[in-house]
Structures are given as C-alpha cells and as structure tokens.
C-alpha cells in the first residue's frame, strides 16, 4: 500500500547515518518498506535503489519511483528529521483518507493556520496557494508523482518552482485531489539549510543520544539563522491575500520573486 522513499544522492551520503538513526529511534514500529535513492552508494540495512550517474534530481527520482510497486509513496528528503515518536495510527488514517477520497497528494507537514480557514484536520489545498504542492514530507499517489516529475523536470528547486508558477496564474479553486494536514504526524525538524546544519538541531538530537557528524558541512552562522527565521515568521503572520498584495507592491520597486524566474 505504502512505500517510504528517502530521496537522496551520493553527495549527501554523510547525512544518511544521522537520518536513519533518528528514523529507527522515532519510528521503531514502522510497518512499511523503506527504500533509499542514491547514485552508486548504499547504506547498511536499507534497501537502496541505485540509479547511476547523476543527470538531475527529477531524472534520478523518476527512475527510482518507476521501480516502486505500491500505489502510495511517502517521499522524504534526508535532511528532514523526525523530532518525536511517530504514531502508526496517524499514518494509517492518512492513507485511509487518501484511498476513500481518491486523493493524489497529502502534505503531512504543518501548514501555518493563518493561511487557511479550516476546522478539519485534513483540508483541501488551493490552486493559487504558494507551494501548496512541494517536497516537504508528503504522501503521493505514485502516478501523480511520476506525472509531476515529467511535467517539472530539473533540480528539486525547479520542480517546486513549476508548481509555484502554475499557482501564480490559477484561480482560487480547490486543487483537485490535493490535501494538507493541520498537524504534522512525523514531527519534522529541518536539519540542514543550504548545505549547513542548524546549530539548534545538532543540540536537540544530541540530547536524545544521537550525535550528528556536522563537521563536514559546518553550521549555519547566527546571522544566517536569524535571517531564515525572520523570513519564515513574516510569511506565517501574513495571510495569503496580504502576501500577494505585498508582492505586487514590492515588484513595483524591482523586487523579483521565485515565481517570476
């Protein structure tokens, strides 16, 4: 029914030990098959799909996903770590919902409530929402993921930008078959930003007995962390309509956004 796919490549193999140590600690009773995507390297104890020399992210991912047999895929990136124990029932409920509704995408990570007016735990995403469909932890219907990879080729950033550009010109209508969760059953913590570790995540997991070998990548500086959280904080405080108005105003002053590229 579901396969967990950790989408990585040889250049990020230094993160695998940390990722799978956290995975095993926080999801001891995981009932699903787990597969790792890489180029040539493998990780002990994990079923690895080797796709050969790197062409681009979408090509690598597509070649691997086409080998998966289950209808649903929980797609994870190697720098998204589980901060707390995972409850199997929450994942089972999410899968049951997808089967019942014929859903093709269910985003599991928490979405700021300021952007949505909803009462239910599971709610529809809208066609004009920024990054409604993205590469944060989500369950994908296999064929929808394959079609999306073919439609938006390139690196991971270009894949998300493809959806973002579609949102810019879309009407405020329900994005058919795509949903989000108000809460995050995986308790995701983002360990790495732009190739470097968040210092607080290193400390967080060290307290849980998991030592992160951060020396190869280094840590984000205080200024980099501050800039990131200020940006995220502003985005989360503003409603989507307010953000669109702000973008329109800023564009008049020559500011460019990812959707314009």
């Amino acid at each position: 029914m579901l396969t967990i796919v950790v989408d990585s490549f040889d250049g990020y193999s230094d993160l695998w030990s940390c990722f799978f140590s956290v995975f095993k600690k926080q999801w001891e009773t995981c009932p699903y098959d787990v597969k790792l995507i890489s180029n040539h390297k493998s990780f002990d104890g994990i079923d690895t799909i080797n796709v050969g020399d790197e062409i681009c992210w979408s090509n690598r991912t597509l070649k691997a996903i086409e080998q998966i047999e289950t209808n649903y895929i929980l797609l994870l990136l190697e720098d998204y770590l589980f901060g707390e124990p995972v409850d199997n029932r929450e994942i089972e409920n999410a899968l049951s919902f997808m089967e019942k509704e014929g859903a093709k995408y269910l985003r599991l990570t928490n979405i700021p409530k300021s952007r949505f007016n909803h009462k239910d735990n599971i709610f529809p995403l809208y066609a004009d929402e920024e990054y409604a469909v993205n590469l944060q932890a989500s369950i994908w219907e296999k064929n929808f993921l394959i079609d999306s990879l073919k439609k938006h080729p390139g690196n991971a950033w270009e894949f998300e930008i493809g959806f973002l550009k579609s949102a810019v010109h879309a009407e405020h209508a329900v994005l058919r078959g795509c949903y989000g969760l108000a809460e995050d059953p995986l308790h995701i913590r983002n360990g790495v930003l732009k190739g470097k570790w968040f210092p607080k995540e290193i400390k967080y997991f060290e307290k849980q007995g998991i030592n992160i070998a951060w020396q190869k990548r280094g840590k984000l500086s205080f200024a980099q962390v501050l800039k990131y959280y200020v940006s995220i904080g502003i985005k989360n405080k503003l409603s989507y309509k307010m953000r669109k108005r702000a973008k329109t105003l800023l564009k008049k002053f020559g500011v460019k956004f990812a959707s314009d590229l």
Side-chain angles (χ1 to χ4, degrees):
M1 178 185 293
L2 175 74
T3 300
I4 299 172
V5 176
V6 183
D7 195 350
S8 189
F9 72 113
D10 288 3
Y12 264 42
S13 60
D14 59 296
L15 301 183
W16 297 349
S17 178
C18 175
F19 177 89
F20 288 111
S21 293
V22 172
F23 189 106
K24 292 175 182 178
K25 177 181 177 63
Q26 306 292 31
W27 204 352
E28 290 184 276
T29 60
C30 177
Y32 309 108
D33 288 338
V34 180
K35 296 184 182 296
L36 169 68
I37 301 175
S38 72
N39 304 109
H40 303 282
K41 295 182 178 182
S42 60
F43 188 79
D44 290 344
I46 302 297
D47 188 10
T48 304
I49 301 176
N50 295 117
V51 297
D53 293 341
E54 188 78 4
I55 297 176
C56 66
W57 174 85
S58 62
N59 177 270
R60 180 213 321 150
T61 305
L62 179 61
K63 288 171 68 174
I65 296 302
E66 288 178 331
Q67 299 180 47
I68 303 296
E69 296 182 355
T70 56
N71 291 331
Y72 297 102
I73 293 168
L74 171 51
L75 190 66
L76 302 172
L77 301 182
E78 71 288 282
D79 56 354
Y80 288 164
L81 307 174
F82 303 161
E84 298 176 24
V86 177
D87 186 338
N88 287 334
R89 293 171 297 181
E90 294 186 6
I91 306 302
E92 291 166 2
N93 290 339
L95 279 172
S96 295
F97 172 85
M98 293 189 75
E99 287 188 312
K100 180 181 177 181
E101 299 297 327
K104 53 189 180 181
Y105 174 85
L106 179 60
R107 181 174 165 185
L108 301 182
T109 47
N110 185 34
I111 301 175
K113 293 178 174 58
S114 62
R115 294 177 59 188
F116 297 94
N117 180 19
H118 62 85
K119 297 180 180 179
D120 298 325
N121 184 46
I122 299 178
F123 53 90
L125 301 176
Y126 287 87
D128 62 341
E129 290 288 344
E130 286 184 322
Y131 300 105
V133 176
N134 62 42
L135 290 175
Q136 293 191 37
S138 305
I139 299 176
W140 298 72
E141 190 273 324
K142 177 184 172 180
N143 290 330
F144 177 60
L145 178 54
I146 289 175
D147 290 343
S148 298
L149 289 165
K150 291 179 178 179
K151 185 177 180 181
H152 305 298
N155 59 37
W157 182 78
E158 290 169 328
F159 178 80
E160 291 192 331
I161 292 301
F163 282 102
L164 179 58
K165 287 183 175 180
S166 298
V168 170
H169 304 290
E171 296 181 357
H172 187 66
V174 170
L175 193 56
R176 188 169 176 268
C178 297
Y179 299 85
L181 283 182
E183 303 299 333
D184 176 6
L186 300 180
H187 314 288
I188 290 292
R189 299 180 73 95
N190 189 1
V192 175
L193 177 69
K194 296 183 178 180
K196 294 188 176 183
W197 283 96
F198 278 99
K200 76 168 189 175
E201 301 306 336
I202 296 173
K203 294 179 181 179
Y204 179 88
F205 287 106
E206 282 181 347
K207 289 181 179 179
Q208 298 191 23
I210 297 173
N211 292 317
I212 294 176
W214 57 266
Q215 289 81 0
K216 178 179 177 179
R217 296 183 170 273
K219 303 177 185 179
L220 291 166
S221 67
F222 175 78
Q224 289 173 317
V225 173
L226 180 62
K227 180 181 178 181
Y228 172 77
Y229 282 113
V230 168
S231 175
I232 293 297
I234 291 174
K235 287 182 179 180
N236 291 347
K237 290 291 184 182
L238 297 178
S239 67
Y240 186 61
K241 287 184 178 180
M242 291 175 66
R243 290 168 67 186
K244 289 188 76 172
R245 290 172 184 169
K247 276 190 174 183
T248 300
L249 177 62
L250 290 171
K251 284 180 181 180
K252 293 180 180 180
F253 291 93
V255 177
K256 292 184 177 181
F257 295 90
S259 56
D260 300 322
L261 301 178

